[in-house]
Amino acid sequence: MDLSRLAQSLGSDWEVVATELGLSRVEIDHCRMENHTVTMMAYAALNKWRNKVSGEATLTSFISALELCGTTTIDWDTVKKAAEKMS
């Protein structure tokens, strides 16, 4: 899964998505403190999620989490392009 492209799709709402993916507040805080840009924070969160759930970290589960976030601003075109590259 192309985490860097998916991270770019999240923007400033990455924390909401990370919570929906099951990351704890402490894990999210570490992502924020250890990285300088929003995209890198989102990438770190997605990487933590992938390591945490391993085989369950699929594009389908990622998109399901995005859909549950409702009010977040997601760049769906970027998600779609990432999905197409994975197929």
Side-chain angles (χ1 to χ4, degrees):
M1 187 167 13
D2 186 354
L3 296 183
S4 61
R5 187 165 285 238
L6 295 177
Q8 291 173 5
S9 72
L10 300 180
S12 61
D13 289 326
W14 71 270
E15 290 184 49
V16 175
V17 176
T19 300
E20 194 60 49
L21 291 171
L23 269 62
S24 69
R25 182 80 256 165
V26 170
E27 290 170 316
I28 292 169
D29 287 346
H30 284 168
C31 293
R32 193 176 340 99
M33 290 185 296
E34 295 168 359
N35 296 281
H36 300 291
T37 68
V38 170
T39 301
M40 288 307 299
M41 292 174 200
Y43 177 83
L46 291 175
N47 200 38
K48 283 183 185 289
W49 166 65
R50 183 173 58 186
N51 291 335
K52 189 174 188 176
V53 299
S54 136
E56 296 174 30
T58 64
L59 181 60
T60 302
S61 60
F62 174 75
I63 290 173
S64 294
L66 292 181
E67 290 170 344
L68 291 172
C69 293
T71 61
T72 57
T73 304
I74 305 296
D75 182 351
W76 286 103
D77 288 336
T78 302
V79 173
K80 182 179 176 184
K81 287 176 187 171
E84 288 169 354
K85 286 192 176 199
M86 289 181 223
S87 326

